[in-house]
Amino acid sequence: MTNLTLADWIVVGMFFAVIAIITYVATKKNKTGVEDYFLGGRQMPWWILGVSMVACTFSADTPNLVTGMVRESGVAKNWAWWSFLITGMATVFIFAKLWRRTGIVTDLEFYEKRYSGGAASFLRGFRAVYLGLFFNVLIIGSVTLAAIKIGSIIFGIKPLYTVIFGSIGVVIYTSLAGFRGVVWADFFQYIIAMVGAVVAAIFAVNLPEVGGLSGLMNNSEIADKVNIIPDLTDPSVFVPILIIPIAVQWWSVWYPGSEPGGGGYMCQKMLSAKNEKHAVAANLFFNFAHYALRPWPWIIVALASLIIFKPDNQEVREVAQQELNSPSILSHYQNYLKNYDENQIPQDIRDHVVELHFQKEGLSSMHQAFPEANAEYLKNDTAYPIMITKTGSGWFGLIIASLIAAYMSTIGTHLNWGASYLVNDFYKRFVNPSASDKKLRRVAVFCTFILMFLGGLVSLTIMDNATQAFDILLLSGAGTGAVYLLRWFWSRINAVTEIVAMISAFIVSIIMVFVVPEGCLANSVLDHATMRLLITVFVVSVAWLISVFVSKPENEETLSSFFELTKSKSELKNMPTQILCVFIGIITVYALLFSIGYFVMLKPLLGTILLIVSIIGICAIFKFASKLKLFD
């Protein structure tokens, strides 16, 4: 921690002081009810919910993720997540108000509103444990792993200490202050996180090696990385990066924070809104801030890192790979990866293997800057935290506080959201239906601590080997997304449909990860991962569509009650206007995103044109939204 000066410590200390004040105030305002603890009494305004939505998707590992994408495949690689804007806008104009009308505490409670019988109860209970515990713990573990990387590489902090100190603060304010404390802390933390990101970008472009924004954009090292749209002359590039995400991924894949039709912790925010209009406005703000305003500071730092830490060229990588594959080195290399901290390899061989490893990965310049860094942690994505070490006293503390804020906002949301599933949809529903509010509150606090403990344990023990587990989790939602969109309107969809979609996706994902050999599905246009996704989507979609027509629909009483509650059937008459709003919203946000990008790239004419398009789009959105009475 010697990198931090007194000024840096003061900034970090002030950050924690504000969090403590927010926790104290929110705790005083809390009541004992479950709705108050998990939804803030359903009295939250749109602006704080919108900021909270952005904050909880701004994790400590998000700048690292974007940096890794840019360094490896260029700016265009961000279409992997930019494409989820489509489902985000569908949630704004179609699904947000429907969720708010249900009056439920969690989105899993939806199952026993829309479906009936044992199948509906099974869905609710199973997914409460699966998502609230297992899936949530892996997400908490992955975010904590990002914190471990930052602490290890920048400060040399041992992983255990990072987990302990990182957990204490967020567990305290989440368990004491509940949802109200989480969203107010998110509001403050997002401001700090964004200011820190902008400061990091300013320092990055003004480094002598970069030479300002002009020097950055005119540097040959990033010439093949700055394009927003991938190379449209090469199908092997633009099809997996652009076409598949836009044509398939957004509607077919269940992804935390971008669920088709809304869901998870995003739904929790909508359910806590004062009314439908606040739920819609919160989502609209989120989509503008999340996709258009947030990415460019990270992208700037990533591009600057390509100049400061120039990747090894292809020839150097190939030579290193050949030497590592030689019989004399291979065994030492494998032992090195397993026993890096145990020093069981002779020092000279160990140093040589380490050097070859980083050359193969194209990271030798970063390794030279941080020679003691563990190969387990030093990757392309860690270029972001490495770059922030080049900021000045005080500013460095602000950026560290911004990363802490990003970590705490994401973890806080996941702890409260996961506890809501375990308490409301499992404990209260199946274990102790007559539990008092005070009892439920104690169980919620207990679940919060358990989730954090398990998440930290995962990050310390199995997270570096969890690639296959994450592949299964992400693929296990492939093909199910359309069900979540259509179930609001198509009465033929029943609980069996969702069970078939869930089980078939899990089985296919297991086969794709563990049975199908890595790389065998690749062809001249699509890589293995893309083919695996498309196959899973196709098989799962066929499976649940068959189940729709061979199984019996839900009983009329359940369907009538649901459609009367949500009025989703009556919304069909407005569907053309709603779809038009979705389309305008997508164009508007993308125009603003690219406008900012072109201004950054010193192309003011294109930036101005797209800014005008965005302004026109905003006016059109409010015109049609007024027609739909979304904000009136």
Side-chain angles (χ1 to χ4, degrees):
M1 299 292 287
T2 53
N3 291 355
L4 291 175
T5 66
L6 177 60
D8 296 324
W9 278 112
I10 291 173
V11 172
V12 173
M14 290 173 62
F15 166 79
F16 281 110
V18 174
I19 294 296
I21 293 171
I22 291 173
T23 302
Y24 176 78
V25 174
T27 303
K28 288 293 184 182
K29 289 187 176 182
N30 273 346
K31 300 176 183 178
T32 57
V34 171
E35 282 197 7
D36 198 79
Y37 190 80
F38 291 129
L39 297 176
R42 300 189 194 270
Q43 292 298 314
M44 308 308 294
W46 68 268
W47 51 272
I48 192 169
L49 290 177
V51 172
S52 180
M53 288 176 177
V54 190
C56 66
T57 57
F58 184 164
S59 163
D61 61 347
T62 312
N64 298 17
L65 174 67
V66 172
T67 299
M69 287 179 172
V70 173
R71 285 183 62 88
E72 293 165 11
S73 304
V75 174
K77 179 65 176 177
N78 284 280
W79 280 102
W81 66 279
W82 285 345
S83 63
F84 284 115
L85 170 66
I86 302 173
T87 189
M89 280 299 171
T91 301
V92 171
F93 295 107
I94 300 174
F95 299 104
K97 58 182 178 292
L98 302 183
W99 279 114
R100 186 60 183 82
R101 288 173 189 170
T102 62
I104 55 183
V105 176
T106 70
D107 58 318
L108 298 188
E109 199 174 329
F110 171 94
Y111 289 122
E112 293 189 301
K113 296 283 188 181
R114 174 63 174 81
Y115 311 126
S116 60
S121 299
F122 167 77
L123 269 172
R124 182 178 178 183
F126 176 81
R127 289 183 72 82
V129 177
Y130 171 66
L131 296 176
L133 182 62
F134 296 107
F135 193 89
N136 208 21
V137 162
L138 280 176
I139 294 175
I140 292 170
S142 69
V143 176
T144 303
L145 180 63
I148 289 173
K149 289 183 177 182
I150 294 170
S152 175
I153 291 176
I154 297 180
F155 302 116
I157 303 174
K158 291 182 178 180
L160 178 61
Y161 296 153
T162 299
V163 172
I164 292 174
F165 293 122
S167 303
I168 291 174
V170 69
V171 166
I172 289 174
Y173 86 73
T174 303
S175 59
L176 291 179
F179 182 81
R180 184 178 285 103
V182 168
V183 295
W184 276 107
D186 282 348
F187 184 82
F188 168 67
Q189 288 163 346
Y190 178 68
I191 294 173
I192 297 298
M194 280 306 300
V195 170
V198 171
V199 168
I202 292 172
F203 272 96
V205 297
N206 285 292
L207 290 170
E209 302 93 327
V210 178
L213 199 55
S214 176
L216 175 66
M217 292 302 159
N218 292 315
N219 195 298
S220 60
E221 295 296 334
I222 68 165
D224 61 340
K225 303 289 187 181
V226 296
N227 292 327
I228 295 174
I229 304 297
D231 184 3
L232 298 180
T233 64
D234 187 352
S236 66
V237 174
F238 74 80
V239 172
I241 288 180
L242 181 62
I243 302 301
I244 297 301
I246 289 179
V248 178
Q249 182 175 292
W250 73 269
W251 60 265
S252 65
V253 176
W254 187 96
Y255 184 83
S258 302
E259 299 89 343
Y265 56 77
M266 300 298 286
C267 182
Q268 184 187 28
K269 313 288 186 184
M270 290 183 271
L271 294 170
S272 71
K274 287 183 176 181
N275 51 43
E276 296 172 25
K277 296 176 177 58
H278 282 266
V280 173
N283 268 277
L284 184 61
F285 176 87
F286 162 75
N287 281 278
F288 271 90
H290 179 70
Y291 294 102
L293 303 181
R294 216 176 52 167
W296 286 105
W298 305 332
I299 292 173
I300 290 171
V301 174
L303 292 172
S305 77
L306 288 166
I307 299 172
I308 303 299
F309 302 109
K310 180 181 177 182
D312 298 285
N313 60 44
Q314 191 62 34
E315 182 180 354
V316 171
R317 294 186 184 191
E318 291 175 355
V319 171
Q321 180 68 72
Q322 291 172 2
E323 190 169 353
L324 284 170
N325 288 336
S326 64
S328 61
I329 291 294
L330 189 58
S331 61
H332 290 302
Y333 177 58
Q334 292 171 337
N335 287 333
Y336 157 69
L337 291 179
K338 295 177 182 177
N339 306 307
Y340 182 90
D341 292 325
E342 299 177 14
N343 296 320
Q344 295 180 5
I345 307 172
Q347 188 64 41
D348 57 336
I349 297 178
R350 178 176 174 274
D351 290 342
H352 185 51
V353 171
V354 171
E355 182 181 356
L356 289 174
H357 166 75
F358 286 111
Q359 287 179 355
K360 178 181 76 74
E361 299 295 328
L363 301 172
S364 58
S365 61
M366 287 197 345
H367 173 58
Q368 291 168 9
F370 290 81
E372 299 302 319
N374 193 320
E376 178 186 341
Y377 298 144
L378 193 60
K379 309 287 184 182
N380 271 308
D381 63 345
T382 49
Y384 187 88
I386 287 175
M387 286 291 291
I388 69 173
T389 62
K390 297 181 175 294
T391 55
S393 176
W395 295 111
F396 184 45
L398 175 63
I399 297 173
I400 292 300
S402 75
L403 293 176
I404 296 172
Y407 172 78
M408 293 179 69
S409 62
T410 301
I411 297 296
T413 289
H414 276 277
L415 291 176
N416 189 265
W417 168 56
S420 73
Y421 280 5
L422 295 174
V423 172
N424 187 68
D425 301 297
F426 186 77
Y427 180 80
K428 182 182 178 183
R429 173 63 179 83
F430 298 101
V431 179
N432 190 358
S434 61
S436 65
D437 283 337
K438 185 176 292 187
K439 175 69 172 178
L440 293 174
R441 179 72 172 265
R442 287 199 298 266
V443 175
V445 172
F446 174 76
C447 289
T448 300
F449 276 85
I450 290 297
L451 287 171
M452 189 66 249
F453 173 78
L454 293 176
L457 187 64
V458 164
S459 70
L460 290 170
T461 55
I462 67 172
M463 209 62 215
D464 58 316
N465 296 314
T467 302
Q468 287 184 326
F470 268 104
D471 286 343
I472 294 172
L473 286 173
L474 293 178
L475 281 177
S476 67
T480 64
V483 176
Y484 303 134
L485 295 170
L486 297 173
R487 64 188 181 179
W488 292 90
F489 310 103
W490 191 12
S491 57
R492 283 289 310 185
I493 289 180
N494 54 31
V496 173
T497 304
E498 292 220 26
I499 292 172
V500 168
M502 182 176 65
I503 293 176
S504 60
F506 183 75
I507 292 173
V508 175
S509 66
I510 291 288
I511 294 172
M512 287 293 160
V513 174
F514 288 109
V515 178
V516 178
E518 184 67 31
C520 74
L521 298 176
N523 55 50
S524 59
V525 175
L526 299 176
D527 57 25
H528 179 82
T530 304
M531 283 298 298
R532 187 170 61 182
L533 172 68
L534 292 177
I535 291 171
T536 305
V537 168
F538 176 77
V539 173
V540 173
S541 298
V542 170
W544 70 256
L545 278 170
I546 291 174
S547 76
V548 166
F549 295 105
V550 301
S551 61
K552 294 181 180 179
E554 296 295 335
N555 62 68
E556 284 298 325
E557 183 180 352
T558 300
L559 290 174
S560 297
S561 175
F562 174 77
F563 289 128
E564 182 179 351
L565 175 67
T566 62
K567 299 180 176 58
S568 55
K569 285 275 190 175
S570 63
E571 288 290 338
L572 290 174
K573 67 179 184 298
N574 295 321
M575 193 59 70
T577 305
Q578 290 174 323
I579 293 175
L580 177 61
C581 285
V582 171
F583 178 77
I584 294 173
I586 292 167
I587 298 300
T588 301
V589 174
Y590 280 147
L592 183 57
L593 169 68
F594 301 153
S595 171
I596 296 171
Y598 284 123
F599 279 120
V600 167
M601 296 176 191
L602 303 179
K603 296 179 179 179
L605 179 59
L606 279 173
T608 301
I609 292 172
L610 288 172
L611 180 59
I612 293 172
V613 170
S614 181
I615 293 171
I616 294 172
I618 291 172
C619 295
I621 286 173
F622 280 97
K623 177 181 178 181
F624 286 107
S626 177
K627 182 179 179 181
L628 294 170
K629 298 182 179 179
L630 293 179
F631 303 126
D632 298 341

